[in-house]
Coordinates of all heavy atoms in Angstrom, one line a residue:
M2 N -89.7 26.9 13.8 CA -89.8 25.4 13.6 C -89.4 25.1 12.2 O -89.7 25.8 11.2 CB -91.2 25.0 13.8 CG -91.5 24.2 15.1 SD -90.2 23.3 15.8 CE -90.7 21.6 15.3
A3 N -88.7 24.0 12.0 CA -88.3 23.6 10.7 C -89.4 23.1 9.9 O -90.3 22.4 10.4 CB -87.2 22.4 10.9
L4 N -89.5 23.4 8.7 CA -90.6 23.0 7.8 C -90.1 22.0 6.7 O -90.8 21.2 6.3 CB -91.2 24.2 7.1 CG -91.9 25.2 8.1 CD1 -92.4 26.4 7.3 CD2 -93.1 24.4 8.7
F5 N -88.8 22.2 6.3 CA -88.4 21.5 5.1 C -87.3 20.4 5.4 O -87.2 19.5 4.6 CB -87.9 22.5 4.1 CG -89.0 23.4 3.7 CD1 -88.9 24.8 4.0 CD2 -90.1 23.0 3.0 CE1 -89.9 25.7 3.6 CE2 -91.1 23.9 2.6 CZ -91.0 25.2 2.9
I6 N -86.5 20.6 6.4 CA -85.4 19.7 6.6 C -85.3 19.3 8.0 O -85.6 20.1 9.0 CB -84.1 20.5 6.3 CG1 -84.0 20.9 4.8 CG2 -82.8 19.7 6.7 CD1 -83.7 19.8 3.9
N7 N -85.0 18.0 8.2 CA -84.6 17.6 9.6 C -83.3 16.9 9.5 O -82.9 16.3 8.5 CB -85.7 16.6 10.1 CG -85.6 16.4 11.6 OD1 -85.0 17.3 12.3 ND2 -86.1 15.3 12.1
V8 N -82.5 17.0 10.5 CA -81.2 16.4 10.6 C -81.2 15.5 11.8 O -81.5 15.9 12.9 CB -80.1 17.4 10.7 CG1 -78.7 16.7 10.9 CG2 -80.0 18.3 9.5
E9 N -80.9 14.2 11.6 CA -80.9 13.2 12.6 C -79.4 12.7 12.8 O -78.7 12.5 11.9 CB -81.7 12.0 12.2 CG -83.2 12.3 11.9 CD -83.9 11.2 11.3 OE1 -83.3 10.2 10.9 OE2 -85.1 11.3 11.2
V10 N -79.0 12.6 14.1 CA -77.7 12.2 14.4 C -77.8 11.1 15.5 O -78.5 11.2 16.5 CB -76.8 13.4 15.0 CG1 -75.4 12.9 15.4 CG2 -76.8 14.5 14.0
D11 N -77.1 10.0 15.2 CA -77.1 8.9 16.2 C -76.6 9.3 17.5 O -75.7 10.2 17.6 CB -76.3 7.7 15.6 CG -77.0 6.9 14.6 OD1 -78.1 7.3 14.2 OD2 -76.4 5.9 14.2
A12 N -77.1 8.7 18.6 CA -76.8 9.1 19.9 C -75.3 9.0 20.2 O -74.7 9.8 20.9 CB -77.6 8.3 20.9
A13 N -74.7 7.9 19.7 CA -73.3 7.7 19.9 C -72.4 8.8 19.4 O -71.4 9.3 20.0 CB -72.8 6.4 19.3
V14 N -72.8 9.3 18.2 CA -72.1 10.4 17.6 C -72.3 11.7 18.4 O -71.4 12.5 18.6 CB -72.5 10.6 16.1 CG1 -72.0 11.9 15.5 CG2 -72.1 9.4 15.3
A15 N -73.6 11.9 18.8 CA -73.9 13.1 19.5 C -73.2 13.3 20.8 O -73.1 14.3 21.4 CB -75.4 13.1 19.7
R16 N -72.7 12.1 21.3 CA -72.0 12.2 22.6 C -70.4 12.2 22.4 O -69.7 12.2 23.4 CB -72.3 11.0 23.5 CG -73.7 11.1 24.1 CD -73.9 10.0 25.1 NE -73.7 8.6 24.6 CZ -74.6 7.8 24.1 NH1 -75.9 8.2 24.1 NH2 -74.3 6.6 23.7
D17 N -70.0 12.0 21.2 CA -68.6 11.9 20.9 C -68.0 13.3 20.7 O -68.2 14.0 19.6 CB -68.4 11.1 19.6 CG -66.9 10.8 19.3 OD1 -66.1 11.8 19.3 OD2 -66.6 9.7 19.0
G18 N -67.2 13.8 21.6 CA -66.7 15.1 21.6 C -66.0 15.5 20.3 O -66.2 16.6 19.8
E19 N -65.2 14.6 19.8 CA -64.4 14.9 18.5 C -65.4 15.1 17.4 O -65.2 16.0 16.5 CB -63.4 13.8 18.3 CG -62.2 13.9 19.1 CD -61.5 15.3 19.0 OE1 -61.2 15.7 17.8 OE2 -61.3 15.9 20.0
L20 N -66.3 14.2 17.3 CA -67.3 14.2 16.1 C -68.2 15.5 16.3 O -68.5 16.1 15.3 CB -68.1 12.9 16.1 CG -67.3 11.7 15.6 CD1 -68.2 10.4 15.7 CD2 -66.8 11.9 14.2
V21 N -68.6 15.8 17.5 CA -69.4 17.0 17.7 C -68.6 18.2 17.2 O -69.2 19.1 16.5 CB -69.7 17.1 19.2 CG1 -70.4 18.5 19.5 CG2 -70.7 16.0 19.6
K22 N -67.3 18.3 17.5 CA -66.5 19.4 17.1 C -66.4 19.5 15.6 O -66.6 20.5 15.0 CB -65.1 19.2 17.7 CG -64.5 20.5 18.2 CD -63.3 20.2 19.1 CE -62.0 20.1 18.2 NZ -60.8 19.8 18.9
K23 N -66.3 18.3 15.0 CA -66.2 18.3 13.5 C -67.5 18.7 12.8 O -67.5 19.5 11.9 CB -65.9 16.8 13.0 CG -64.4 16.6 12.7 CD -64.1 15.1 12.5 CE -64.4 14.7 11.1 NZ -64.0 13.2 10.9
L24 N -68.6 18.3 13.4 CA -69.9 18.7 12.8 C -70.1 20.2 12.9 O -70.5 20.8 12.0 CB -71.0 17.9 13.5 CG -71.1 16.4 13.2 CD1 -72.1 15.7 14.1 CD2 -71.5 16.2 11.7
I25 N -69.7 20.7 14.1 CA -69.9 22.2 14.3 C -69.0 22.9 13.3 O -69.4 23.9 12.7 CB -69.6 22.5 15.7 CG1 -70.6 22.0 16.7 CG2 -69.5 24.1 15.9 CD1 -70.3 22.1 18.1
E26 N -67.8 22.4 13.0 CA -66.9 23.1 12.1 C -67.4 23.0 10.7 O -67.2 24.0 10.0 CB -65.5 22.4 12.2 CG -64.6 22.9 13.3 CD -63.4 22.0 13.5 OE1 -63.0 21.2 12.5 OE2 -62.8 22.0 14.5
V27 N -67.9 21.9 10.2 CA -68.1 21.8 8.8 C -69.4 22.4 8.3 O -69.5 22.9 7.2 CB -68.2 20.3 8.3 CG1 -66.8 19.7 8.6 CG2 -69.3 19.5 9.0
C28 N -70.4 22.5 9.2 CA -71.7 23.0 8.7 C -71.7 24.5 8.5 O -71.4 25.3 9.4 CB -72.8 22.7 9.7 SG -74.4 23.3 9.2
P29 N -71.9 25.0 7.2 CA -71.8 26.4 6.9 C -72.9 27.2 7.5 O -72.8 28.5 7.4 CB -71.9 26.4 5.4 CG -72.6 25.1 5.0 CD -72.3 24.1 6.1
V30 N -74.0 26.6 8.0 CA -75.1 27.4 8.4 C -75.5 27.2 9.9 O -76.6 27.4 10.4 CB -76.4 27.2 7.5 CG1 -76.1 27.7 6.1 CG2 -76.7 25.7 7.5
N31 N -74.5 26.6 10.6 CA -74.6 26.5 12.1 C -75.8 25.8 12.6 O -76.5 26.2 13.5 CB -74.5 27.9 12.7 CG -73.3 28.7 12.4 OD1 -72.2 28.1 12.4 ND2 -73.4 29.9 12.0
I32 N -76.0 24.6 12.0 CA -77.1 23.8 12.5 C -76.7 22.9 13.7 O -77.5 22.5 14.5 CB -77.5 22.9 11.3 CG1 -78.4 23.7 10.4 CG2 -78.3 21.6 11.8 CD1 -78.8 23.1 9.1
F33 N -75.3 22.8 13.9 CA -74.9 22.0 15.0 C -74.2 23.0 16.1 O -73.6 23.9 15.7 CB -73.8 21.0 14.6 CG -74.3 20.1 13.5 CD1 -73.9 20.3 12.2 CD2 -75.2 19.1 13.8 CE1 -74.4 19.4 11.2 CE2 -75.7 18.2 12.8 CZ -75.3 18.4 11.5
A34 N -74.5 22.6 17.3 CA -73.9 23.4 18.4 C -73.6 22.4 19.6 O -74.0 21.2 19.5 CB -74.8 24.5 18.9
T35 N -72.9 22.9 20.6 CA -72.7 22.1 21.7 C -73.8 22.4 22.8 O -74.0 23.5 23.1 CB -71.3 22.4 22.4 OG1 -70.4 22.4 21.3 CG2 -70.9 21.4 23.4
G36 N -74.4 21.3 23.2 CA -75.5 21.5 24.3 C -74.9 21.2 25.6 O -73.7 21.2 25.9
S37 N -75.8 20.8 26.6 CA -75.4 20.5 27.9 C -74.4 19.3 28.0 O -74.6 18.4 27.3 CB -76.6 20.3 28.8 OG -77.3 19.2 28.3
G38 N -73.4 19.4 28.8 CA -72.5 18.3 29.0 C -71.6 18.1 27.7 O -71.0 17.0 27.6
G39 N -71.6 19.0 26.8 CA -70.8 18.8 25.6 C -71.4 18.0 24.5 O -70.8 17.7 23.4
A40 N -72.6 17.5 24.7 CA -73.3 16.7 23.7 C -73.8 17.6 22.6 O -74.0 18.8 22.7 CB -74.5 16.0 24.3
L41 N -74.0 17.0 21.4 CA -74.4 17.7 20.3 C -75.8 18.3 20.4 O -76.7 17.6 20.9 CB -74.4 16.8 19.0 CG -74.7 17.5 17.7 CD1 -73.5 18.3 17.2 CD2 -75.1 16.4 16.7
Q42 N -76.0 19.5 20.0 CA -77.4 20.1 20.0 C -77.7 20.5 18.5 O -76.8 21.1 17.8 CB -77.4 21.3 20.9 CG -78.8 21.9 21.0 CD -78.7 23.2 21.7 OE1 -77.7 23.6 22.3 NE2 -79.8 23.9 21.7
I43 N -78.9 20.2 18.1 CA -79.3 20.6 16.8 C -80.0 22.0 16.9 O -80.9 22.1 17.8 CB -80.3 19.6 16.2 CG1 -79.8 18.2 16.1 CG2 -80.8 20.1 14.8 CD1 -78.8 17.9 15.0
V44 N -79.6 22.9 16.2 CA -80.1 24.3 16.3 C -81.3 24.4 15.4 O -81.2 24.6 14.2 CB -79.1 25.4 16.0 CG1 -79.7 26.8 16.1 CG2 -77.8 25.2 16.8
E45 N -82.5 24.1 15.9 CA -83.7 23.9 15.1 C -84.0 25.2 14.2 O -84.4 25.0 13.1 CB -84.9 23.5 16.0 CG -84.7 22.1 16.5 CD -85.9 21.5 17.1 OE1 -87.0 22.1 17.0 OE2 -85.8 20.4 17.6
P46 N -83.9 26.4 14.8 CA -84.2 27.5 13.9 C -83.4 27.6 12.7 O -83.8 28.3 11.7 CB -84.0 28.7 14.8 CG -84.0 28.2 16.2 CD -83.5 26.8 16.1
N47 N -82.2 26.9 12.7 CA -81.3 27.0 11.5 C -81.6 25.9 10.5 O -81.0 25.9 9.4 CB -79.9 27.0 12.0 CG -79.5 28.2 12.7 OD1 -80.2 29.2 12.7 ND2 -78.3 28.3 13.2
L48 N -82.4 24.9 10.8 CA -82.5 23.7 10.0 C -82.9 24.0 8.6 O -82.3 23.4 7.6 CB -83.5 22.8 10.6 CG -83.1 21.8 11.7 CD1 -84.2 21.1 12.3 CD2 -82.0 20.9 11.2
D49 N -83.8 25.0 8.4 CA -84.2 25.3 7.0 C -83.1 26.0 6.2 O -83.3 26.2 5.0 CB -85.5 26.0 7.0 CG -86.7 25.1 7.2 OD1 -86.5 23.8 7.1 OD2 -87.8 25.5 7.4
E50 N -82.0 26.4 6.9 CA -80.9 27.0 6.1 C -80.0 26.0 5.5 O -79.1 26.3 4.7 CB -80.1 27.9 7.1 CG -80.8 28.9 7.9 CD -81.5 30.0 6.9 OE1 -80.9 30.3 5.9 OE2 -82.6 30.4 7.2
C51 N -80.3 24.7 5.8 CA -79.4 23.6 5.3 C -79.3 23.7 3.8 O -80.3 23.9 3.0 CB -80.0 22.3 5.6 SG -79.1 20.9 5.0
T52 N -78.0 23.7 3.3 CA -77.7 23.8 1.9 C -77.6 22.4 1.2 O -77.2 22.4 0.0 CB -76.4 24.6 1.7 OG1 -75.4 23.8 2.3 CG2 -76.5 25.9 2.3
L53 N -77.8 21.4 1.9 CA -77.7 20.0 1.4 C -76.3 19.8 0.9 O -76.1 19.0 -0.1 CB -78.7 19.7 0.3 CG -80.2 19.9 0.7 CD1 -81.1 19.7 -0.5 CD2 -80.6 19.0 1.9
C54 N -75.3 20.4 1.6 CA -73.9 20.3 1.1 C -73.3 18.9 1.4 O -72.2 18.6 0.9 CB -73.1 21.4 1.7 SG -72.8 21.2 3.5
E55 N -73.9 18.2 2.3 CA -73.5 16.8 2.7 C -72.1 16.8 3.5 O -71.6 15.7 3.7 CB -73.4 15.9 1.5 CG -74.7 15.8 0.8 CD -74.8 14.7 -0.2 OE1 -73.9 13.8 -0.3 OE2 -75.8 14.6 -1.0
L56 N -71.6 18.0 3.9 CA -70.4 18.0 4.6 C -70.5 17.2 6.0 O -69.6 16.6 6.4 CB -69.9 19.4 4.9 CG -69.4 20.1 3.6 CD1 -69.1 21.6 3.9 CD2 -68.2 19.4 3.0
C57 N -71.7 17.4 6.6 CA -71.9 16.7 7.9 C -72.0 15.2 7.7 O -71.5 14.5 8.6 CB -73.2 17.2 8.5 SG -74.7 17.0 7.5
L58 N -72.5 14.7 6.6 CA -72.6 13.3 6.3 C -71.2 12.7 6.3 O -70.9 11.6 6.7 CB -73.3 13.0 5.0 CG -74.7 13.7 4.8 CD1 -75.3 13.2 3.5 CD2 -75.6 13.4 6.0
N59 N -70.3 13.5 5.7 CA -68.9 13.0 5.5 C -68.0 13.2 6.7 O -66.9 12.7 6.8 CB -68.3 13.6 4.3 CG -69.0 13.3 3.0 OD1 -69.3 12.1 2.8 ND2 -69.2 14.2 2.1
A60 N -68.5 13.9 7.7 CA -67.7 14.2 8.9 C -67.9 13.1 10.0 O -67.2 13.1 11.0 CB -68.1 15.5 9.5
A61 N -68.9 12.2 9.8 CA -69.2 11.2 10.8 C -69.2 9.8 10.1 O -69.3 9.7 8.8 CB -70.5 11.5 11.4
P62 N -69.2 8.7 10.8 CA -69.2 7.4 10.2 C -70.5 7.2 9.3 O -71.5 7.8 9.6 CB -69.3 6.5 11.4 CG -68.6 7.2 12.5 CD -69.0 8.7 12.3
P63 N -70.4 6.4 8.3 CA -71.5 6.2 7.4 C -72.8 5.9 8.1 O -72.9 5.0 9.0 CB -71.1 5.0 6.5 CG -69.6 5.0 6.6 CD -69.2 5.5 8.0
G64 N -73.9 6.5 7.7 CA -75.2 6.3 8.2 C -75.6 6.9 9.6 O -76.7 6.8 10.0
T65 N -74.6 7.5 10.2 CA -74.9 8.0 11.6 C -75.4 9.4 11.6 O -76.0 9.9 12.6 CB -73.6 8.0 12.4 OG1 -72.6 8.8 11.8 CG2 -73.1 6.6 12.7
V66 N -75.3 10.1 10.4 CA -75.9 11.4 10.3 C -76.8 11.4 9.1 O -76.4 10.9 8.0 CB -74.9 12.6 10.1 CG1 -75.6 13.9 9.9 CG2 -74.0 12.6 11.3
R67 N -78.1 11.8 9.2 CA -79.0 11.8 8.1 C -79.7 13.1 7.9 O -80.1 13.7 8.9 CB -80.1 10.7 8.4 CG -79.5 9.3 8.5 CD -80.5 8.3 9.0 NE -80.9 8.5 10.4 CZ -80.1 8.2 11.5 NH1 -79.0 7.6 11.3 NH2 -80.6 8.5 12.7
V68 N -79.7 13.6 6.7 CA -80.4 14.8 6.4 C -81.7 14.4 5.7 O -81.7 13.8 4.6 CB -79.6 15.7 5.5 CG1 -80.4 17.0 5.1 CG2 -78.3 16.2 6.3
V69 N -82.9 14.7 6.3 CA -84.1 14.3 5.8 C -84.9 15.4 5.2 O -85.1 16.4 5.8 CB -85.0 13.7 7.0 CG1 -86.3 13.1 6.4 CG2 -84.2 12.6 7.7
K70 N -85.2 15.3 3.9 CA -86.1 16.3 3.3 C -87.5 16.0 3.6 O -88.0 14.9 3.4 CB -85.9 16.2 1.7 CG -84.5 16.6 1.2 CD -84.5 16.6 -0.3 CE -83.1 16.8 -0.8 NZ -83.1 16.6 -2.3
L71 N -88.2 17.0 4.2 CA -89.6 16.8 4.6 C -90.6 17.2 3.6 O -91.7 17.4 3.8 CB -89.8 17.5 5.9 CG -88.9 17.2 7.1 CD1 -89.1 18.1 8.3 CD2 -89.0 15.7 7.5
Y72 N -90.1 17.3 2.3 CA -91.0 17.7 1.3 C -90.7 16.8 0.1 O -89.8 16.0 0.1 CB -90.7 19.2 0.9 CG -89.2 19.4 0.5 CD1 -88.8 19.3 -0.9 CD2 -88.3 19.7 1.4 CE1 -87.5 19.5 -1.2 CE2 -87.0 19.9 1.1 CZ -86.6 19.8 -0.2 OH -85.3 20.0 -0.6
G73 N -91.6 16.9 -0.9 CA -91.4 16.1 -2.2 C -91.3 14.6 -1.9 O -92.1 14.1 -1.2
D74 N -90.2 14.1 -2.4 CA -90.0 12.6 -2.3 C -89.5 12.2 -0.9 O -89.2 11.0 -0.7 CB -89.1 12.1 -3.4 CG -87.8 12.8 -3.4 OD1 -87.5 13.6 -2.5 OD2 -87.0 12.6 -4.4
K75 N -89.3 13.1 0.0 CA -88.9 12.9 1.4 C -87.6 12.1 1.3 O -87.4 11.1 2.1 CB -89.9 12.2 2.2 CG -91.2 13.0 2.4 CD -92.0 12.4 3.5 CE -93.4 13.0 3.7 NZ -93.6 14.3 3.4
E76 N -86.7 12.5 0.5 CA -85.4 11.8 0.3 C -84.6 11.9 1.6 O -84.6 13.0 2.3 CB -84.6 12.4 -0.8 CG -83.3 11.7 -1.2 CD -82.6 12.5 -2.3 OE1 -83.1 13.5 -2.7 OE2 -81.5 12.1 -2.6
V77 N -83.9 10.9 1.9 CA -82.9 10.9 3.1 C -81.5 10.9 2.6 O -81.1 9.9 1.9 CB -83.2 9.7 4.0 CG1 -82.2 9.8 5.2 CG2 -84.6 9.7 4.5
L78 N -80.8 11.9 2.9 CA -79.4 11.9 2.5 C -78.5 11.3 3.6 O -78.6 11.7 4.7 CB -78.9 13.4 2.2 CG -79.7 14.2 1.2 CD1 -79.1 15.6 1.1 CD2 -79.8 13.5 -0.1
T79 N -77.7 10.4 3.2 CA -76.8 9.8 4.2 C -75.5 9.3 3.5 O -75.5 9.1 2.3 CB -77.5 8.6 4.9 OG1 -76.7 8.1 5.9 CG2 -77.8 7.4 4.0
R80 N -74.5 9.3 4.2 CA -73.2 8.9 3.7 C -73.2 7.4 3.3 O -73.6 6.6 4.1 CB -72.1 9.2 4.7 CG -70.7 8.8 4.2 CD -69.7 9.2 5.3 NE -68.4 8.5 5.1 CZ -67.5 8.5 6.0 NH1 -67.6 9.2 7.1 NH2 -66.3 7.8 5.7
K81 N -72.7 7.1 2.1 CA -72.6 5.7 1.7 C -71.4 5.1 2.4 O -70.4 5.8 2.6 CB -72.5 5.6 0.2 CG -73.6 6.4 -0.6 CD -75.0 5.8 -0.4 CE -76.0 6.6 -1.2 NZ -76.6 7.7 -0.4
A82 N -71.4 3.9 2.6 CA -70.3 3.2 3.3 C -69.0 3.4 2.5 O -69.0 3.5 1.3 CB -70.6 1.7 3.5
Ligands
SF4_21 S1 -75.9 19.2 4.7 FE1 -74.5 20.9 5.0 S2 -75.8 22.6 5.6 FE2 -77.0 20.8 5.9 S3 -76.7 20.2 8.0 FE3 -75.2 19.1 6.8 S4 -73.3 20.4 6.9 FE4 -75.1 21.7 7.5

């Protein structure tokens, strides 16, 4: 179970084949995968490997992918418009 990081992806992005492919490509620690029917799946055991590189934020439209720190100030990283 993830203890420190959560990654949230809007449903529209999670169903968009091209964006799913991009997210899988950019994440260096394999937090994204393809689930049933080609929809995006978050690989929960990998969440805490997140390097906060923000590549996923830039791979999708602004605000649709959010990296949430579950510690400290609970900062939410999201792509600015
Ligand atoms: S911030 Fe980087 S390491 Fe974390 S989920 Fe996004 S692409 Fe993966």
Side-chain angles (χ1 to χ4, degrees):
M2 258 327 262
L4 294 175
F5 300 113
I6 295 288
N7 195 23
V8 176
E9 302 171 348
V10 179
D11 280 5
V14 170
R16 286 192 306 263
D17 183 316
E19 282 305 305
L20 289 175
V21 169
K22 224 166 82 182
K23 262 170 86 178
L24 288 169
I25 292 171
E26 275 170 18
V27 299
C28 182
V30 293
N31 301 319
I32 283 171
F33 304 104
T35 311
S37 60
L41 185 74
Q42 184 190 350
I43 303 284
V44 182
E45 291 193 6
N47 291 353
L48 278 172
D49 278 349
E50 306 296 323
C51 176
T52 62
L53 305 176
C54 67
E55 302 193 8
L56 291 174
C57 58
L58 307 184
N59 295 319
T65 58
V66 178
R67 297 169 296 281
V68 176
V69 184
K70 294 183 188 175
L71 302 176
Y72 57 92
D74 54 7
K75 299 196 185 334
E76 186 186 357
V77 179
L78 304 181
T79 187
R80 177 179 164 189
K81 311 291 181 271

